[in-house]
Structures are given as structure tokens and as C-alpha cells.
Amino acid sequence: MDRDRLAQALLATFLEELEGHVVSLNRELLALERESVPARMAERVASLLRTLHSVKGAARAASATLVETACHRMEELLEQVRDAGAGTPDVYELCFTTVDALDDAGRRLAAREDLAGSPLETLLPQLERAAGHRAHAPAPARVAPPPSPPPMLTDAVPSPPAAPASVELHPGGGGASPGAEALPVRVSAQKLDALLARSGELRVATLRLEGRADALESVREALAQAREAVLGTPGEQALLRAETELARVTLELAADRRTLGGVATGLDDEVRRARTLSFEEGCEGLERAARDVARSLGRQVRLEIHGGALELDRSLLQGLREPLLHLVRNAVAHGLESPEERQRLGKPDEGRLTLSARLKGSRVEVTVDDDGRGLDLGALREQARARGLRVPESDEETARLVFLAGLSTATQVTQVAGRGVGLDVVRMHVEGLRGSVEVATRPGQGTCFVLDVPLTLSTLRVLLVSAGGQTLALASESVARLVRLTPGEVRDVEGRPAWASGDALVPLASLAEVLGLPPGPPRARRGAVVLAAGSARAVVVVDEVLAEQEALVRSLGHRVRRARHVSAAAVLPDGRLSLLLNPVSLVRAAGGRPAASLFPAPATQRTRRRVVLADDSPTTRALEQSILESAGYEVVACVDGADAWERLQSGGADALVLDVEMPRMDGFALTEAVRASPRFSRLPVVLVTARGKPEDKARGLQAGASAYLVKSAFDPTSLLETLRRLL
């Protein structure tokens, strides 16, 4: 390796190490500043000196002389703190400023800039004076920019530092000797992102293959039916050979699909695990930000992190950094009182700010809680009145005004408050992560912000619906329930439709109208989805509820990133793309056209076919009920086979649609009971189940089922066509 390439490699390694060392120096300095026991202070200083020694050695190898000199002077300054058993505020401030200057120097070197005139060079004389040097040390040699960029560059990130641009992996020691530790490997986050994209493409290919296998099975079944139709003719044998060969190919394809699916899922899981960071790592720099704001305002603050060991995806933590930074700075600037005021109120001089994270199913709840004065609800109402906005009556709605753009209750403009910028940015960032943010305040006791975001940003379970001729996707986690609306359940509230749910009225809108799509035909009963966004609810009326599936989430790109009510694209199992709608935006926009337009004019009633539906899964039961009712059937929904048998005996039916695996009485047993009954022996029975093995199908047909549909290949039209044929 020639001299230039060696210099580039050494500089790249140094810059990569410097990023992590800056985070460590900030963390250790914060701990030292709070420490009051001399013995523990000595331990903190020793840890800082070790880190500075590492930076100094790496800087010497990379010929970054200015960085090496600054680290040496900071070592001398910290040794004085250790010997004195205490440090002054000015000394700590100088140390923090030096760490910021080291971070800035790293970004300049990565951009191939000279350090002449940099904050670090400007700061060096002050460091020398503080360390006891009366004369300036000889000017360090300036570091010339490398002739070409180093192999790995870190993004220029303002303080506080962002999540690491490279991830440290600890490979398993399969071939290592007992007791040997696996050496960590640093992999750039960009490489992991690219690997995740490739594994996502592999999963899409696997999903498409699954669809092809199901289609091939359908062709084989059609061929078997054709052979039965030509039974006894010369073409029967040819058809039989084709059917046998097709069955063999189908089985082999299914086996290959299972193998590929296992590999794709395993690879995807491993890549995601490699991309995870602890919540505490994702919060690096926030404690420093809180400290700096508090110091500039003459306040004291202690930031605590709960649930710090929780492992989260790096991209999610990266997306949360900006909202959390805004909330932390806002809490210190607006929420916490001065030490004198806190003393008068009987509070500790030091304010408390708590960041916590916990899992809630497939979502993560992050809270930012302070023990300050709480929101000034009176000032918020005055701000709303001055801007011509509706003034909320409840304190809960008033508190949400803080998320409006341009609204601020600060009495003077400072670097961190008074410009009306911050909390509307928080809302926009969180909603961009398919999440929501809520606020609760306690006058004189503090304010709590709750951020609710999905656990992963790349895969999602979605509910597919049709509206205006389009197939659209809604995150299943945002779907509270599925309902079938009749005119009597819709109320007109101040000129806007609402769904009467018990004692509550939920805003209602046509999804097609909200999205600007053509309206569907009026129907006597309308399928609708109840969406939940935080504590808010809304009902969106759809043309049809289609299915619930696992989907991959893909960005729309910068050109359509701001499309109204759309957050991303969902890649469906068959490879098709569907727009993923933003539930928060839809809930906010709910309440459109008059309720009368959703339903046709009253007409002469006609007799409808009655179907008894039994499935112990509430989601599947609601989905199938929606499909059947959309086709005009009267549906009696039951939670299991025993319930269905009782309802059948009391009210009769024209057909049964049953799951197989149900408590009390399964679908096989219920089918046998129906066939043994003189009253219902000729009743059509359709089994819809996840059990797709040939022996399960044989058992179902042997029990007397009229048709057997497998959920993995389930299509609404197949169910409706089956019932139409049987009835």
C-alpha cells in the first residue's frame, strides 16, 4: 500500500473511532459534573483520561496533530480536577466545548477540509491557559486534506450526535477456542440498510412464489374436474397423466417455496437483529442537550432513562431523535422552573426529566415526562382566540393546541423558545413514522408527552379495502373494528355524519370522498372501518373489505412524499403495490358528505338468504361477515361451533360457513351433526380453514362438507361463487 492510500485508511479508521469516543466523552463528562464524592470523581476522571488517551493515539497515527494536542491539554486539565477533588463550572464548560470542537474537527476532516480557523484551533490557546501553560505550545502541523475521500464517511450531524453511523457486531464464536471472546466487527449502517433492502426483495420474491404455487394448485384442481367431465373417453388417460405430472410439480414447488421462505425469513430476521440498538444508545446526546439548555437558562435538570435496554430498530431510533430532542429542549425551556421558584413550591432545586420506552404489542410507547409547572392552558386559549381558532372547552383538547404550527406561549424569544417552532415538528415527524403523539398536563406538577410508534418500519400487517375502484391498505394496528352500517346507526351532527356507537358519536366519512376518488354505489348496508389514532376515533366507509395480509413497506420517494393521507406503499404477497394510508391523517379529515348519500332510497324489501357463520377469530369472522353482507346475505355470526349449532336449531339457515379449529365444537363435528340431522341434512356447508393438507380436505369432505376453502388461497369471490353455486 502506498503512502497516500495508507494515510487515507488511517484517517478513515480514526474518524470512525472518533465518532464513538465523542459520545463516550459527553457521557463521562456529564457523570463527572454531577459527582460529588472525591473517590468516585477520581474514577470518572480516570475513565475520561483513558478515552482521551485512545483519541490521542489514534490522532497521532492519522497525523491529526491539532486533535492530538487538544486531547493532551484536556488531559492536563482533568488531572487538575482530579487532584483538587472538584471542578468549577467554567472548567466543565471548557471541557464540553472541547468535545464539541473535536466532533466538529472530525466532520471537517471527513469532508477533506483543513482545520485552519476551526473551533478546535481557536480553542487551543484557552485550553493551554486553563491547563497552566503560560506560553503557547509550538503551532501544530496542519492536517492537509486527503487526496480522495476516505473509504467510509460519517454524516455531518449537529450536536447531539445521531445514532452511530456504523453498528458493532459480535459474531458467534463457532470456531473459537473455549473462553475466547469474539472480536467486534464494525459495519457501516449504509451497508446494513442495503442488505435489508436485498432481504426485503427476497421476501417479496418468496411471497410471489407462494402465489404462483397456489395458482398452480388451482390449475390442477381444474384439470381434475375436466377429467371427470370426460370420464370414459380416449382423452381421459391423457388428462390423467397431465394431472399426475402437474401434481408432482405442485408438490416440488411447494417444497421449494417453504425452503426459500425459511431462508428469506431467517435472513431478514438476522439483518434486523444486526440493525438494532438499545433505546439508551438511541438517546445518546439528549442528556447533554438538556444540560446545555438548563445551564443557559440558569436551571438544573437531571435526565433519567427508563427501559434503556429495550432493543429497537436503528431506523426507528433515528426517526425518533428529532422529536425527542425537541421535547427535551422544550421541557427544560418551558416546563422546568428556576431553582428559586422550585424552592418556593417545595420542589427539589434540580428538575427531573424522564424518558421511558416500553413495548405494547407490535408498537413502542415512548414518554417524555417532566416535573415542572405544566402547560399554561390559559395562555394557550388566549393564543387560539387571538388567531381566530375555536377555543376548546376541555383541558385535554386545549393541551393539544401545542402541536399547532406557529403557536408559542413564551413571553420572550430566546435560542430555544418563543418562535413557535418545535412541537408541530414533533407531530409531523411522529406521524411520518406512522405514529401519534399525545400530551397530558398536570398544573404545577408537570407535563407528559406520549409517542406511540410501530415497532418496525419495514413490515406491517395490513387490512386491504376497496374504495373508488382502488385497492388500498390500512395498518391493522390502527383498525379498532370492522362494522356494517345501516341508516339507523348514522346521525347528523352539525351537518356532518357520525356513527352512533353506544353512548358515543364517532366522526364518519366516505374513504372515496376523502381521497378524491369516485363514490361507490349506494347500498342498504355499508362496510366501514373504525380507525384509531391515539385517543381519537373515526369511521371510514369503504366499498368492500377485501383481506388482511402481511406486507412489506416501501417509501414513496421524494416526489410523492407529501401526498395527502398516504404514508408509504405496501408490497402485497402477490407482488402488487397498494398505497398505505395514514390513519392519523384520515381520522383528522373524517366527517364529509351528508349521511343520506351513503345509502339508497328506501325500496321494497326482498327476502335475503340467511347464512350462519362460525369462526373463533374476531378479525376473520368480521371480514367474512363483511364479504357476505356486501353480497346481500343475512349473516348470523357465531363464536364457535356450539354457538352455531344452537343458532341453527333456533332460527334455521340457508347455508353454513364454518372454520374447522374452534372451541367446544369444531367444524368437522358440526358438519357431521348437520348431516345426521333430518332437518338440516341437505343444508350446504362450506368449510373455510387454514388447514390445507390433503388429509384435512379428505376428512372435511368425508364429514359431509359441500365445499372446502383454504384460507391461504382465500379469495372473496371464491366464497361468494361457491355459495351461489350451492344455493
Side-chain angles (χ1 to χ4, degrees):
M1 182 181 295
D2 58 40
R3 181 182 296 274
D4 288 342
R5 291 180 61 189
L6 177 61
Q8 291 176 16
L10 290 173
L11 182 60
T13 302
F14 164 66
L15 294 176
E16 189 176 334
E17 292 180 4
L18 181 62
E19 182 184 4
H21 287 319
V22 165
V23 173
S24 298
L25 289 171
N26 269 308
R27 182 173 58 245
E28 292 164 356
L29 276 172
L30 286 166
L32 177 63
E33 187 180 36
R34 290 196 303 264
E35 192 57 73
S36 58
V37 179
R40 292 178 182 170
M41 287 191 68
E43 295 176 3
R44 300 287 188 189
V45 171
S47 178
L48 280 163
L49 292 176
R50 285 193 296 270
T51 303
L52 286 169
H53 186 74
S54 298
V55 177
K56 188 170 64 173
R60 183 184 304 113
S63 300
T65 311
L66 184 62
V67 174
E68 178 189 0
T69 303
C71 289
H72 184 69
R73 296 292 178 256
M74 189 172 169
E75 284 178 325
E76 296 175 334
L77 188 59
L78 288 171
E79 287 170 350
Q80 294 178 7
V81 173
R82 178 195 59 195
D83 297 341
T88 65
D90 290 341
V91 167
Y92 288 128
E93 192 63 30
L94 180 57
C95 288
F96 279 117
T97 304
T98 303
V99 174
D100 291 343
L102 290 172
D103 191 30
D104 172 82
R107 292 199 297 271
R108 288 172 182 263
L109 291 174
R112 297 187 299 162
E113 296 179 7
D114 198 341
L115 296 185
S118 67
L120 190 62
E121 186 181 61
T122 305
L123 190 66
L124 193 58
Q126 187 178 352
L127 272 173
E128 292 171 344
R129 289 193 298 271
H133 291 259
R134 297 186 180 277
H136 291 178
R142 292 177 178 173
V143 180
S148 60
M152 182 185 298
L153 301 182
T154 57
D155 294 331
V157 181
S159 181
S166 58
V167 181
E168 190 172 273
L169 307 179
H170 296 267
S177 59
E181 296 184 0
L183 294 176
V185 179
R186 294 183 66 88
V187 180
S188 69
Q190 291 84 354
K191 291 181 180 178
L192 284 176
D193 289 342
L195 188 58
L196 181 64
R198 292 298 185 187
S199 70
E201 292 173 5
L202 182 59
R203 288 194 63 187
V204 170
T206 305
L207 293 174
R208 286 178 176 169
L209 185 59
E210 183 175 351
R212 303 295 183 267
D214 294 337
L216 196 59
E217 175 64 19
S218 300
V219 173
R220 190 195 64 78
E221 292 178 354
L223 188 61
Q225 294 174 0
R227 182 173 58 82
E228 293 178 2
V230 298
L231 191 65
T233 67
E236 178 189 0
Q237 291 301 319
L239 281 172
L240 180 59
R241 287 193 298 272
E243 182 185 349
T244 303
E245 181 65 16
L246 195 57
R248 183 186 65 80
V249 174
T250 301
L251 290 174
E252 291 177 353
L253 182 61
D256 292 343
R257 176 183 58 80
R258 287 192 296 270
T259 302
L260 181 60
V263 172
T265 301
L267 174 62
D268 197 64
D269 291 342
E270 288 299 323
V271 174
R272 293 181 195 285
R273 191 167 63 87
R275 282 168 46 91
T276 60
L277 294 172
S278 68
F279 177 66
E280 187 172 19
E281 288 180 277
C283 293
E284 289 285 2
L286 296 179
E287 187 176 11
R288 169 69 191 279
R291 179 257 180 202
D292 289 349
V293 175
R295 182 175 176 83
S296 68
L297 298 174
R299 299 171 186 172
Q300 300 176 20
V301 62
R302 175 182 292 271
L303 188 144
E304 301 175 356
I305 296 176
H306 297 165
L310 181 63
E311 294 284 331
L312 299 174
D313 187 85
R314 186 188 64 85
S315 59
L316 176 62
L317 289 172
Q318 191 75 20
L320 284 173
R321 285 195 61 80
E322 191 72 15
L324 290 179
L325 176 60
H326 277 296
L327 290 176
V328 165
R329 291 166 63 89
N330 181 78
V332 178
H334 286 284
L336 297 184
E337 310 92 339
S338 65
E340 297 77 18
E341 185 178 354
R342 292 179 67 87
Q343 287 179 2
R344 290 196 302 270
L345 296 172
K347 296 182 178 181
D349 292 358
E350 187 178 60
R352 178 188 54 80
L353 184 58
T354 304
L355 272 66
S356 61
R358 67 186 183 101
L359 290 180
K360 290 181 61 180
S362 61
R363 300 187 70 83
V364 182
E365 185 180 89
V366 178
T367 61
V368 180
D369 194 6
D370 68 73
D371 67 345
R373 59 174 62 90
L375 297 178
D376 189 340
L377 299 180
L380 286 172
R381 289 190 173 99
E382 286 298 323
Q383 284 280 325
R385 191 175 293 110
R387 296 176 57 181
L389 302 176
R390 183 182 69 86
V391 180
E393 295 181 2
S394 69
D395 290 347
E396 292 79 6
E397 291 186 25
T398 302
R400 294 193 188 101
L401 291 174
V402 297
F403 298 117
L404 293 179
L407 189 145
S408 176
T409 59
T411 57
Q412 58 182 352
V413 175
T414 66
Q415 289 186 338
V416 294
R419 293 177 172 83
V421 177
L423 297 187
D424 63 311
V425 175
V426 170
R427 177 182 59 79
M428 291 173 58
H429 271 83
V430 174
E431 290 180 3
L433 297 172
R434 306 197 311 271
S436 62
V437 57
E438 296 288 339
V439 59
T441 187
R442 306 171 300 277
Q445 300 180 41
T447 303
C448 179
F449 289 89
V450 180
L451 287 65
D452 184 84
V453 292
L455 183 59
T456 176
L457 302 179
S458 55
T459 60
L460 189 66
R461 191 151 187 85
V462 298
L463 181 72
L464 298 178
V465 299
S466 66
Q470 300 289 326
T471 299
L472 304 163
L474 293 164
S476 295
E477 59 199 15
S478 66
V479 176
R481 59 182 293 192
L482 303 177
V483 296
R484 301 292 298 173
L485 296 177
T486 61
E489 295 174 301
V490 178
R491 301 287 185 270
D492 191 292
V493 180
E494 297 181 353
R496 294 188 174 187
W499 174 53
S501 172
D503 298 331
L505 290 174
V506 183
L508 181 146
S510 164
L511 182 59
E513 182 177 4
V514 171
L515 299 177
L517 299 174
R523 296 174 180 172
R525 291 172 66 87
R526 300 299 302 263
V529 180
V530 183
L531 294 176
S535 60
R537 297 285 188 275
V539 179
V540 291
V541 178
V542 300
D543 295 340
E544 192 175 356
V545 178
L546 302 176
E548 188 181 27
Q549 297 176 334
E550 193 78 18
L552 300 175
V553 179
R554 290 292 179 263
S555 171
L556 292 172
H558 66 280
R559 293 186 178 181
V560 288
R561 187 174 297 162
R562 297 187 179 274
R564 288 191 67 214
H565 310 307
V566 177
S567 60
V571 184
L572 304 181
D574 59 3
R576 292 181 297 119
L577 289 177
S578 178
L579 291 178
L580 179 64
L581 303 181
N582 186 331
V584 177
S585 178
L586 292 178
V587 168
R588 193 177 296 125
R593 60 195 304 172
S597 64
L598 298 173
F599 301 97
T604 304
Q605 296 293 322
R606 63 182 180 89
T607 303
R608 295 193 298 161
R609 298 279 193 167
R610 178 183 172 94
V611 176
V612 171
L613 167 67
D615 198 303
D616 61 332
S617 167
T619 300
T620 303
R621 189 168 64 246
L623 174 61
E624 294 178 355
Q625 181 178 2
S626 173
I627 293 170
L628 292 171
E629 289 181 340
S630 296
Y633 292 99
E634 177 188 351
V635 180
V636 179
C638 306
V639 298
D640 57 28
D643 184 22
W645 180 238
E646 294 173 3
R647 302 289 290 274
L648 177 62
Q649 289 179 312
S650 63
D654 295 300
L656 289 175
V657 176
L658 309 176
D659 186 19
V660 169
E661 296 178 298
M662 296 184 291
R664 297 203 293 171
M665 179 183 286
D666 64 23
F668 293 147
L670 179 54
T671 302
E672 292 171 348
V674 168
R675 292 293 175 252
S677 168
R679 179 183 173 190
F680 303 115
S681 60
R682 295 182 177 275
L683 196 66
V685 178
V686 180
L687 295 180
V688 183
T689 174
R691 299 171 67 166
K693 295 182 179 179
E695 55 266 30
D696 293 324
K697 293 182 181 181
R699 182 183 174 189
L701 297 176
Q702 185 179 7
S706 309
Y708 194 103
L709 302 180
V710 181
K711 290 181 179 178
S712 61
F714 178 73
D715 181 77
T717 57
S718 63
L719 174 60
L720 297 177
E721 178 60 26
T722 300
L723 283 175
R724 186 194 65 77
R725 188 177 68 252
L726 293 174
L727 293 174

